[in-house]
Amino acid sequence: MEFKLTEEHLAVREAARDFAQNELKPGVIERDSKMIYPTDQVRMMGELGFLGMMVSPEYGGGGMDTLSYVLAMEEISKVDNSCSVIVSVNNSLVAWGVETYGNEAQKAKYLPKIASGETIGSFCLSEPEAGSDATSQRTTAVDMGDHYLLNGTKNWITNGGTSKIHLVIAQTNVELGHRGINAFIVEADWEGVAIGAKEDKLGIRSSDTHTIMYNDVKVPKENRIGDEGFGFKFAMKTLNGGRIGIAAQALGIAGGAYELAAAYANERKAFGKPISAHQAIAFKLAKMATEIEASKMLVYRAAWLKDQHMDYSSAAAMAKLYASEVAMRQTVEAVQIHGGYGFVKEYHVERLMRDAKITQIYEGTSEIQQLVISRDIIKNGNLYIPVVNHNMENA
């Protein structure tokens, strides 16, 4: 793994940073306070290619690598995490899931619109009684011959109110346990799909999070992803990549908080000099910078492993676990450095602190990440992922 970004990587990062600072930042406080969905900003992200970065050009995407996606997520997340979570779900859950495991007809039908942003997608796994325990699906998809009959409720669904495509995980054969679970592409305007009220959240407030109900929805057989019983494996494989996106979001939150804190510390004076010149603040900034760099190495490494088609499951879990913890610590410190100003919306850091918390919860809680990591190290007998060129494309 080289620690030098290519010219393409640098261009992606600069484009994302320019968009975040000039297009997202001006209205981010109002959108957050009033829970206003970023309709114009999402349209612009589609036009700029941020919603289909890793999709093959054959289907209208950017054909970029995972590291490019991480760099864009990082910069957007420094400013607006309601927008970055939309980027994350559309790229690493919906588009990647369809392109990697869908058949050619599914890819040709759905990917071009997903990649352009014309169609926003949702990943529908969590349920009222099946969040971290994804094997306990209560949503059912009964085989009716030429179609499945889908019934159940999914909650905490990002993009739930605006998405036109749902990737739904449902139980078809309860006797087979997780081997009886399937994944389906469901169109939001089909009869029987009902969208619940928008959740009033602590953070990422302008993204739309909803409960979705499926009442006798007829899902054509051709909309099942993969073979019969592939759904649980599909969900777990897709979430591995999603964790890299959320780790990048956490990294961006920490980086954004640090940049704001450092700038404020250089401008704010106390006892005749900038507060950054006082050891109490200088040491805070030093620790913040160090933890952010450590997070960056974990996140970039996970992206690199994925791009090399190597096993990245534990690497993604480690990156998300650590980066999300760092995001929480850095945003709290950023508020502290700002003093009373950090407690008001105008200075942005209080919003980043609220946004940081969700990175420890969605795409698998921190406790689930520790479970993934511990199982891997117990199985392999070491603390590190073997750097062996093991192709994971069809794993």
Side-chain angles (χ1 to χ4, degrees):
M1 179 180 180
E2 296 183 5
F3 291 87
K4 182 180 179 181
L5 298 177
T6 66
E7 290 297 321
E8 181 180 0
H9 289 142
L10 294 172
V12 168
R13 185 173 68 180
E14 184 60 31
R17 184 173 182 85
D18 180 73
F19 172 73
Q21 296 295 326
N22 295 315
E23 300 296 340
L24 297 182
K25 194 170 185 177
V28 66
I29 294 174
E30 182 182 15
R31 291 195 300 274
D32 174 81
S33 297
K34 299 179 180 179
M35 297 198 303
I36 300 171
Y37 183 78
T39 302
D40 292 339
Q41 290 72 25
V42 171
R43 176 185 53 77
M44 285 188 281
M45 289 193 298
E47 292 171 352
L48 291 169
F50 290 127
L51 296 177
M53 296 183 70
M54 297 181 290
V55 174
S56 169
E58 178 184 355
Y59 303 108
M64 299 181 190
D65 60 11
T66 311
L67 184 53
S68 296
Y69 161 64
V70 162
L71 292 168
M73 278 291 297
E74 186 180 352
E75 292 300 326
I76 293 171
S77 299
K78 289 179 180 180
V79 175
D80 189 340
N81 289 283
S82 293
C83 282
S84 70
V85 75
I86 295 169
V87 173
S88 178
V89 170
N90 219 56
N91 274 282
S92 58
L93 295 182
V94 179
W96 189 85
V98 172
E99 184 166 14
T100 305
Y101 296 111
N103 59 40
E104 188 54 43
Q106 291 168 348
K107 289 187 279 189
K109 181 177 181 179
Y110 293 112
L111 274 179
K113 291 182 178 181
I114 294 172
S116 69
E118 179 183 344
T119 293
I120 300 296
S122 290
F123 189 77
C124 303
L125 173 65
S126 293
E127 298 182 358
E129 297 182 22
S132 296
D133 182 9
T135 62
S136 299
Q137 294 292 300
R138 299 292 183 89
T139 299
T140 60
V142 178
D143 191 337
M144 304 298 288
D146 63 342
H147 68 275
Y148 291 89
L149 199 62
L150 183 67
N151 282 280
T153 300
K154 298 292 184 178
N155 66 344
W156 316 123
I157 305 303
T158 300
N159 300 337
T162 52
S163 56
K164 297 179 181 178
I165 296 297
H166 304 167
L167 299 190
V168 182
I169 312 301
Q171 182 69 254
T172 297
N173 190 334
V174 68
E175 294 181 358
L176 294 178
H178 72 276
R179 293 182 177 87
I181 294 173
N182 280 309
F184 303 94
I185 302 173
V186 176
E187 297 183 22
D189 60 359
W190 285 351
E191 185 177 354
V193 178
I195 310 299
K198 185 175 182 178
E199 301 288 353
D200 189 352
K201 307 186 297 290
L202 172 73
I204 57 168
R205 288 173 54 79
S206 64
S207 71
D208 60 323
T209 305
H210 295 256
T211 294
I212 303 179
M213 289 76 72
Y214 301 98
N215 303 300
D216 287 339
V217 179
K218 292 183 178 179
V219 182
K221 278 287 180 71
E222 58 264 28
N223 275 46
R224 187 189 70 209
I225 299 175
D227 295 332
E228 183 71 39
F230 181 68
F232 181 75
K233 189 174 183 179
F234 167 82
M236 296 302 101
K237 293 286 186 181
T238 305
L239 283 175
N240 281 339
R243 286 165 184 160
I244 296 176
I246 300 306
Q249 182 183 52
L251 175 61
I253 291 171
Y258 170 78
E259 290 177 6
L260 290 167
Y264 180 82
N266 285 326
E267 295 170 1
R268 176 71 169 174
K269 291 186 177 181
F271 306 104
K273 56 184 177 181
I275 62 172
S276 60
H278 295 285
Q279 189 178 83
I281 301 301
F283 279 17
K284 284 182 184 293
L285 294 171
K287 187 173 182 179
M288 291 171 75
T290 301
E291 290 192 345
I292 289 168
E293 286 301 308
S295 297
K296 188 174 294 185
M297 292 301 99
L298 284 170
V299 178
Y300 287 14
R301 179 172 180 268
W304 179 81
L305 285 169
K306 185 172 185 287
D307 287 334
Q308 300 303 310
H309 308 300
M310 297 165 69
D311 188 351
Y312 60 91
S313 176
S314 287
M318 290 177 181
K320 182 183 181 298
L321 173 65
Y322 186 72
S324 63
E325 291 178 347
V326 167
M328 279 304 303
R329 287 199 292 272
Q330 305 316 330
T331 53
V332 170
E333 287 287 53
V335 170
Q336 189 71 18
I337 289 170
H338 279 75
Y341 293 104
F343 209 65
V344 298
K345 296 183 184 298
E346 180 184 353
Y347 286 77
H348 296 284
V349 288
E350 65 85 30
R351 185 185 72 260
L352 291 176
M353 184 175 72
R354 289 186 284 104
D355 288 347
K357 185 58 194 173
I358 192 61
T359 66
Q360 295 181 306
I361 298 173
Y362 58 15
E363 309 279 329
T365 63
S366 292
E367 291 74 21
I368 290 296
Q369 306 314 312
Q370 292 176 82
L371 181 64
V372 171
I373 297 163
S374 63
R375 284 177 174 173
D376 186 74
I377 61 177
I378 291 168
K379 178 181 177 181
N380 292 312
N382 57 55
L383 292 174
Y384 303 101
I385 302 165
V387 182
V388 177
N389 194 1
H390 175 56
N391 193 304
M392 295 296 293
E393 283 297 309
N394 298 312

